[in-house]
Amino acid sequence: MNLSALEQAFDAREAGRAGQREALDALLASGLPTRKSELWKYTKAAPLAEFAIAALTDATPAADIDAARARVAQRADTFEGAGRLVFIDGVLDDTLTRLPEGVRLEATRTPVASKGADDALALINAALPGADLALQVDQDVSVNGVLHIVHALAAPSSLGQVRLAVELAPRASLTIAEHFANDGIGAGMHNTVVAVQLAEAATLHLRRLQALSAETLQVTRIEATLADNASLDTVTVDAGGKTVRNDLNVRLEGPGARVDMRGVYLGNDKQHIDNHTRVDHVARDTISREDYRGILRDRSRGVFNGKVFVHKGADGTDAAQSNPNLLLSDHAEIDTKPELEIYADDVKCAHGATVGQIDETSLFYLRSRGIDEATAIQLLTYAFCREVLTGIENDVLRIAAEQLVADQIPDFSALELIA
Amino acid sequence: MALLDINDLHARVAGTDILKGLSLSVNAGEVHAIMGPNGSGKSTLANVLAGRDDYEVTAGSATLDGADLLDMEPEERAHAGVFLAFQYPVEIPGVNNTYLLRAALNAVREARGEDGISAVDFMKLARQKMKAMEMDAGFLNRGVNEGFSGGEKKRNEVFQMSVLEPRLCLLDETDSGLDIDALKVVAEGVNALRSPDRAFVLVTHYQRLLDYIEPDFVHVLAGGRIIRSGDKSLALELEARGYDWVLEEAAA
Ligand SMILES: Nc1ncnc2c1ncn2[C@@H]1O[C@H](COP(=O)(O)OP(=O)(O)O)[C@@H](O)[C@H]1O
Ligand SMILES: [Mg+2]
């Protein structure tokens, strides 16, 4: 792919933000990752980059932005809670945004650190226009309710780029639900980077839901750093999109820090869903828990790569990871790879990745009770990812997540059969 | 016509012949106990009748009220009134006990040409039946058998049976793993269901259960066939003397 188009478009726009030019130069120097890159072995970076660069030259008409705003407003009750941030094509929408009490929002100009070609999409995120914001919660402040972050797209050629820092001061706590939407416009692309900084004993619950159309692209990256006894708990539901790539990188830098990462991904048709996670146990007595579950049918493809890196000195690390997958078609595919690197003592690390089909005994049990085969299969499929969803303690949000998952199971209408 | 008629049934699993010409006739209102050494094919028989497809029927027939049972899907057999209480009930986290049972009841009622039961009426019924099984109502909110002890799973099977009111109840070692109090509760649950138009086939390894559920007939299954039938005194004799003498007499 030719990146000079990007440079020309970029120069034409006289971009002014700090770090933007540097990110572009880094990208031009490194080029895009090829399939030889470990991190982009199964997901092609070029089509994602191409879409983003094309979007740079294609400004979205104002009327489309207005229409997108109206669509989000219409669904505003779905995003009822402590408050909401609404981004349309990567621009914060002042009319729809409501900040909850205790949360500050500031413009920032911090460039995203560059790590070379493996981060090409993060470099694109840094180089191209998009929101640059920091959410801050002061020490000892617990924000009640959910802060929704809605990423909306206005046109099929839209690119929604957001760079968001989430900074929680000591003992602060916050729940965020990110919704990636394209509200029926057909296509578009999200490319977001969220940098999470949790100070001592701060707690962040992060839920991310997407049921994008089958033409939409999504790239998300979370870089989180946790201080002593801080806790991060994430639930990621991927129920749509054409190509989805999520990177979730967490550094446990203070003793007692803990991260819980849960996810479900449901692929239909030719969807491609790639989750890369990495936990760095830097400090001693840190805990990580990971449970990602995949259901793949038709010709869909799932990728799961879970890296656990236990640094020298991170003694007493306790890490557990599991990645069970259901393959419901002969043509569906999953590439799952746990990676462990351990340089410390007294470490507990458990991981298990499985690929299987519907359990025959469970299926027979349900049928022997009079449940027809198709419904029984749907029930068992749904039940398979159920445990991940129970991690969402907010009822409204959990029901929304359950509905996204149920909608992805063909002809499934028996949601009431679920525990 | 017998409620259940099994004639010269042959079945195999994983390439091995297990049932080798089994015949049995069960009338409505009757309780039949099937006893036999481990591995003799008792669970195979129960699973073949319920329609589990790991088991391949190679010859013979089984009918329910004259209809070909072997030609039906497992759910169709359930609709026709067959219920299997599993030897090892399955845990299905994520599928709710209550809703599964209500869906099962509605499927059965629909097949009988009855209207579905409302959620409110169902809860009333379920609570009442649970109480009879001395089960905590909290079980209703859990996943199917999720985290249940062995005894709780067995009670749950009989509880489901009492709600679904099947015509043919197949119980596969429902007594095993139960302490004496739980055994009595389970037996009472079964006895409460006894009726002139319902029949029971109790697979059991021990005579103990038959102290509480009095069978009309006792059969010994060995080598894939019923080698001896009698009344409840046969169970007592087996308890006292073991199986060897029956096997020897059958071989002679
Ligand atoms: N799914 C199976 N796969 C292979 N062998 C089986 C299976 N189920 C049962 N068997 C074998 O069939 C025989 C009869 O088993 P079963 O019907 O469970 O006996 P019982 O219930 O009388 O103890 C045993 O030898 C057992 O090992
Ligand atoms: Mg058995």
Side-chain angles (χ1 to χ4, degrees):
Chain A
M1 196 204 140
N2 188 357
L3 287 173
S4 63
L6 174 60
E7 189 166 21
Q8 280 159 22
F10 187 89
D11 289 341
R13 290 176 74 117
E14 279 182 72
R17 188 168 45 79
Q20 221 166 338
R21 180 76 229 183
E22 289 79 352
L24 178 70
D25 288 341
L27 184 63
L28 292 174
S30 63
L32 292 173
T34 64
R35 294 196 54 184
K36 286 191 197 118
S37 157
E38 250 333 280
L39 289 171
W40 290 91
K41 197 165 160 185
Y42 299 111
T43 303
K44 289 196 192 89
L48 298 169
E50 256 164 46
F51 189 99
I53 291 163
L56 182 66
T57 45
D58 262 15
T60 306
D64 287 350
I65 301 279
D66 290 342
R69 182 179 297 123
R71 283 193 299 269
V72 176
Q74 216 167 39
R75 294 198 298 133
D77 57 343
T78 329
F79 313 120
E80 219 34 81
R84 59 176 184 258
L85 301 186
V86 176
F87 295 97
I88 298 174
D89 286 5
V91 177
L92 185 73
D93 190 277
D94 293 331
T95 59
L96 294 173
T97 292
R98 311 251 179 287
L99 271 191
E101 212 174 306
V103 174
R104 272 180 291 118
L105 188 63
E106 316 226 315
T108 66
R109 302 197 143 247
T110 327
V112 172
S114 130
K115 289 180 200 149
D118 283 346
D119 287 327
L121 270 298
L123 290 173
I124 287 175
N125 175 284
L128 304 192
D132 284 282
L133 295 165
L135 264 180
Q136 291 155 345
V137 182
D138 287 337
Q139 73 177 45
D140 295 306
V141 173
S142 287
V143 180
N144 287 321
V146 177
L147 169 59
H148 297 276
I149 300 181
V150 183
H151 301 277
L153 297 175
S157 59
S158 285
L159 171 66
Q161 290 220 115
V162 170
R163 295 172 283 272
L164 181 67
V166 176
E167 296 160 0
L168 270 56
R171 296 169 303 281
S173 76
L174 179 65
T175 298
I176 291 177
E178 277 191 284
H179 306 265
F180 295 86
N182 65 341
D183 290 319
I185 51 152
M189 175 171 174
H190 293 286
N191 186 20
T192 65
V193 175
V194 176
V196 174
Q197 287 268 9
L198 302 183
E200 176 206 329
T203 302
L204 177 65
H205 301 283
L206 181 58
R207 283 80 185 83
R208 302 192 302 149
L209 311 181
Q210 68 89 354
L212 296 166
S213 78
E215 292 80 39
T216 308
L217 310 176
Q218 170 172 296
V219 180
T220 75
R221 170 179 289 263
I222 293 176
E223 298 281 353
T225 305
L226 278 64
D228 305 12
N229 297 314
S231 134
L232 170 66
D233 149 40
T234 68
V235 180
T236 303
V237 178
D238 282 304
K242 177 185 185 188
T243 305
V244 175
R245 167 66 183 251
N246 299 314
D247 282 86
L248 171 53
N249 298 331
V250 181
R251 288 177 65 85
L252 304 173
E253 293 193 339
R258 171 176 179 133
V259 62
D260 288 87
M261 303 182 286
R262 280 173 282 209
V264 285
Y265 44 96
L266 299 104
N268 284 1
D269 302 322
K270 288 164 92 176
Q271 281 179 273
H272 180 109
I273 305 173
D274 177 347
N275 278 286
H276 267 66
T277 68
R278 175 180 170 128
V279 184
D280 281 272
H281 289 264
V282 181
R284 55 180 308 130
D285 300 322
T286 46
I287 300 174
S288 64
R289 291 284 176 272
E290 182 163 23
D291 184 357
Y292 269 69
R293 301 186 178 207
I295 296 175
L296 300 155
R297 56 178 87 236
D298 306 328
R299 293 181 173 274
S300 67
R301 181 162 195 189
V303 180
F304 175 80
N305 186 293
K307 183 158 189 161
V308 175
F309 197 106
V310 183
H311 292 245
K312 193 159 182 290
D315 301 348
T317 285
D318 179 355
Q321 180 189 86
S322 97
N323 175 233
N325 292 280
L326 272 185
L327 275 192
L328 297 182
S329 128
D330 292 343
H331 303 291
E333 236 185 282
I334 173 75
D335 295 287
T336 171
K337 186 172 172 198
E339 287 185 74
L340 291 179
E341 281 190 51
I342 302 173
Y343 302 100
D345 299 322
D346 186 23
V347 168
K348 268 199 278 187
C349 274
H351 64 87
T354 58
V355 180
Q357 281 79 38
I358 293 278
D359 178 55
E360 285 298 326
T361 310
S362 301
L363 183 59
F364 175 58
Y365 189 85
L366 294 179
R367 295 179 73 190
S368 78
R369 297 306 182 245
I371 310 293
D372 69 84
E373 184 177 18
T375 305
I377 289 175
Q378 290 162 350
L379 275 175
L380 292 171
T381 307
Y382 185 88
F384 175 78
C385 43
R386 167 80 196 161
E387 232 168 285
V388 166
L389 302 178
T390 54
I392 305 177
E393 58 296 292
N394 180 279
D395 287 342
V396 177
L397 217 49
R398 192 185 54 255
I399 290 165
E402 286 170 351
Q403 194 62 55
L404 292 191
V405 170
D407 288 348
Q408 194 71 350
I409 300 174
D411 306 316
F412 186 45
S413 55
L415 198 55
E416 59 166 22
L417 288 176
I418 300 314
Chain B
M1 192 200 316
L3 176 62
L4 172 68
D5 217 336
I6 306 172
N7 206 346
D8 193 32
L9 188 64
H10 289 67
R12 56 180 7 200
V13 57
T16 311
D17 294 318
I18 308 293
L19 300 182
K20 300 170 189 166
L22 186 145
S23 299
L24 177 68
S25 189
V26 176
N27 291 309
E30 293 174 352
V31 175
H32 291 241
I34 300 204
M35 305 185 73
N38 262 333
S40 58
K42 304 184 295 296
S43 292
T44 302
L45 172 64
N47 279 289
V48 164
L49 294 176
R52 178 146 196 181
D53 63 7
D54 310 13
Y55 299 86
E56 184 197 349
V57 174
T58 49
S61 67
T63 59
L64 187 78
D65 285 324
D68 184 359
L69 201 52
L70 302 179
D71 195 39
M72 299 180 200
E73 298 294 335
E75 56 269 35
E76 292 172 332
R77 301 183 198 204
H79 301 162
V82 176
F83 182 94
L84 169 62
F86 281 51
Q87 180 171 5
Y88 305 108
V90 193
E91 290 198 30
I92 314 180
V95 177
N96 181 286
N97 244 329
T98 309
Y99 287 114
L100 165 64
L101 192 50
R102 186 170 159 227
L105 180 57
N106 280 336
V108 169
R109 287 170 70 120
E110 192 184 319
R112 290 187 207 137
E114 296 169 14
D115 285 340
I117 188 167
S118 75
V120 175
D121 289 346
F122 174 79
M123 286 314 289
K124 243 190 256 168
L125 176 73
R127 290 226 171 79
Q128 173 209 332
K129 302 277 187 187
M130 278 195 111
K131 215 166 151 193
M133 292 307 297
E134 297 183 11
M135 287 169 76
D136 190 293
F139 283 105
L140 285 173
N141 301 323
R142 310 235 304 249
V144 173
N145 291 316
E146 186 181 2
F148 288 22
S149 72
E152 286 163 352
K153 286 179 185 162
K154 297 301 181 78
R155 282 185 208 218
N156 195 35
E157 295 292 283
V158 178
F159 161 62
Q160 290 182 4
M161 193 169 83
S162 70
V163 169
L164 297 177
E165 302 188 320
R167 295 206 61 210
L168 175 64
C169 304
L170 308 167
L171 288 89
D172 191 359
E173 300 215 18
T174 303
D175 52 332
S176 63
L178 295 182
D179 62 31
I180 194 72
D181 292 331
L183 183 72
K184 282 183 189 165
V185 171
V186 162
E188 274 166 33
V190 170
N191 287 330
L193 274 171
R194 288 182 77 152
S195 100
D197 45 32
R198 178 172 298 130
F200 294 81
V201 175
L202 306 178
V203 167
T204 180
H205 202 62
Y206 304 102
Q207 192 274 334
R208 192 175 73 145
L209 177 68
L210 308 180
D211 288 340
Y212 301 96
I213 306 172
E214 197 172 311
D216 300 298
F217 300 93
V218 173
H219 310 277
V220 177
L221 174 56
R225 265 185 228 166
I226 287 178
I227 57 168
R228 193 178 192 99
S229 298
D231 61 14
K232 65 180 176 182
S233 65
L234 175 58
L236 292 168
E237 201 170 354
L238 290 169
E239 171 88 342
R241 297 176 62 192
Y243 287 106
D244 286 352
W245 64 278
V246 201
L247 298 174
E248 277 159 26
E249 279 183 24

